[in-house]
Amino acid sequence: EPAPARPDLKAKGDHEGHVDEYSFKSGSVIDLLKELKLKFEDELTEMNTEETNAINAHQLATKARDQATAAKQASHDEKATTKGETEGALATAQADLQSTQQDLEADSTSLDSTTKACDVKKAEW
């Protein structure tokens, strides 16, 4: 159905006074949206920066922990090697001590018998 025709205006020239002019009211909404866009972009940049800093801090902490673990392992290995060498040297020293003590005992026995033999010969002469 066709749209009804507009009635003829009775007050000619008065039409403009009865028609409200459209005023563009979305200007503040567009400005608000532009401000929100800028705000969100700034927040995104800030979040990305914080995330990058957090990732870098985590990587540094992980690297420091790995280095500390490696240093601890190296120190442990060095101490184990030193302990093994020291225990080997101790065993050798104890064996040498025992051998020296046996030699001393044998030499003391030999000295006693020699001294007695000398005393006997001295008494005979």
Side-chain angles (χ1 to χ4, degrees):
E1 229 178 86
R6 291 182 67 173
D8 288 334
L9 297 173
K10 297 190 183 198
K12 218 160 185 66
D14 198 22
H15 175 64
E16 299 301 322
H18 292 286
V19 175
D20 291 334
E21 272 193 47
Y22 178 75
S23 60
F24 190 66
K25 297 178 181 155
S26 65
S28 62
V29 173
I30 292 175
D31 289 340
L32 175 66
L33 290 175
K34 286 180 181 178
E35 288 175 20
L36 284 174
K37 181 182 177 200
L38 289 174
K39 178 184 174 198
F40 293 148
E41 287 173 348
D42 290 344
E43 288 178 358
L44 178 63
T45 301
E46 183 180 340
M47 291 289 204
N48 286 340
T49 301
E50 288 176 3
E51 183 177 2
T52 301
N53 290 342
I55 289 170
N56 289 340
H58 179 266
Q59 289 173 343
L60 287 174
T62 301
K63 185 176 179 181
R65 186 191 66 229
D66 291 345
Q67 288 175 343
T69 302
K72 180 180 174 185
Q73 185 63 42
S75 174
H76 178 269
D77 293 347
E78 181 182 343
K79 288 178 183 178
T81 301
T82 303
K83 179 182 177 191
E85 291 171 354
T86 304
E87 287 175 345
L90 176 63
T92 301
Q94 287 174 336
D96 288 348
L97 176 63
Q98 185 177 9
S99 174
T100 303
Q101 286 174 339
Q102 289 172 350
D103 289 346
L104 176 63
E105 187 177 326
D107 290 346
S108 295
T109 305
S110 175
L111 176 64
D112 288 344
S113 65
T114 304
T115 304
K116 287 180 185 175
C118 285
D119 288 343
V120 168
K121 288 199 181 207
K122 181 180 173 184
E124 289 176 357
W125 286 91

